[in-house]
Amino acid sequence: MKPVFQHAVSMIGVALLGMSAAIAQIQTPPGATGRPQAPAAASPSPAGAAPVPALTPSGQPPTYHGGQQTAPLSTYLPPEPGAIPWTLLGKVKMIQNRGKFTPEFDKEVMALNNREVKIQGFMMPLETGEKQRHFLLTITPQTCAFCIPAGPEGMVEIRTKTPIKVTFEPLVLTGKFEVLANDPMGLYYRMPDGKSVR
């Protein structure tokens, strides 16, 4: 493994582990800090559709954590029949076992382990170049070149035999899905043989 790539992967793992521990330890509901939070204004929506929240008070797009989403998934992803819903992958909680935090997955999530599935999301490249064989598929698009766009429940590590061109558009992939109970990099999900559908 090249030193630069190894460092990048290590940094992603450290960030994921840190986020997992923080989520497990901090149970403070929004607004409990004593600081008033500005209400998010609704952006225009198609007739009959629920309003889509604007930017959060921090100025970032609405995000998805722990099975709860602050904006409809349609904000980012068009419907894709047969794809695993990200709300299902969010059904995981952190438990402390012998001083170590580990993920505890819902039975529905565990039922996906080692099954052929379809999934839709956005590419976060992990390699250099215009085409990727190793990348993260995430629930939301990247808003920063150095930021992870979701927590570990909102991303899947993807490896493919055929390289895929870097894109900001949603990708649809099929392949064997792995649920990772104790991954050293802090990842929850992996697709080691992904194939691009579109």
Side-chain angles (χ1 to χ4, degrees):
M1 187 178 291
K2 295 180 181 179
V4 174
F5 174 66
Q6 186 175 16
H7 176 70
V9 172
S10 297
M11 293 305 294
I12 290 170
V14 169
L16 289 174
L17 289 172
M19 284 189 291
S20 298
I23 290 168
Q25 292 178 336
I26 299 173
Q27 301 295 327
T28 307
T33 59
R35 293 182 297 175
Q37 292 191 358
S43 62
S45 302
V52 177
L55 295 180
T56 62
S58 66
Q60 297 298 317
T63 54
Y64 169 92
H65 297 290
Q68 302 298 318
Q69 58 197 60
T70 59
L73 291 184
S74 58
T75 305
Y76 306 109
L77 294 170
E80 179 61 35
I84 299 174
W86 285 98
T87 48
L88 173 58
L89 298 185
K91 291 183 177 182
V92 56
K93 61 184 178 180
M94 297 299 294
I95 59 170
Q96 190 171 10
N97 184 16
R98 298 178 182 176
K100 182 180 178 182
F101 287 99
T102 56
E104 182 177 77
F105 299 97
D106 187 90
K107 290 180 181 179
E108 289 182 87
V109 177
M110 290 303 301
L112 299 172
N113 193 35
N114 292 319
R115 285 182 50 193
E116 289 285 323
V117 302
K118 180 196 286 187
I119 191 164
Q120 180 184 210
F122 296 92
M123 177 187 283
M124 178 181 173
L126 294 177
E127 300 176 323
T128 58
E130 295 183 3
K131 294 187 176 181
Q132 302 283 308
R133 285 190 175 93
H134 186 204
F135 56 92
L136 296 177
L137 193 73
T138 64
I139 186 173
T140 57
Q142 276 186 278
T143 56
C144 166
F146 305 100
C147 304
I148 298 174
E153 77 286 351
M155 61 179 67
V156 178
E157 182 186 18
I158 306 289
R159 290 186 181 272
T160 65
K161 290 182 180 178
T162 304
I164 299 175
K165 188 175 181 180
V166 173
T167 178
F168 294 106
E169 298 299 318
L171 289 173
V172 179
L173 302 166
T174 60
K176 186 178 77 170
F177 192 77
E178 296 179 351
V179 179
L180 310 173
N182 192 23
D183 184 73
M185 299 304 294
L187 296 166
Y188 290 175
Y189 308 114
R190 179 175 292 129
M191 184 177 281
D193 60 349
K195 300 174 186 66
S196 177
V197 174
R198 65 166 174 80

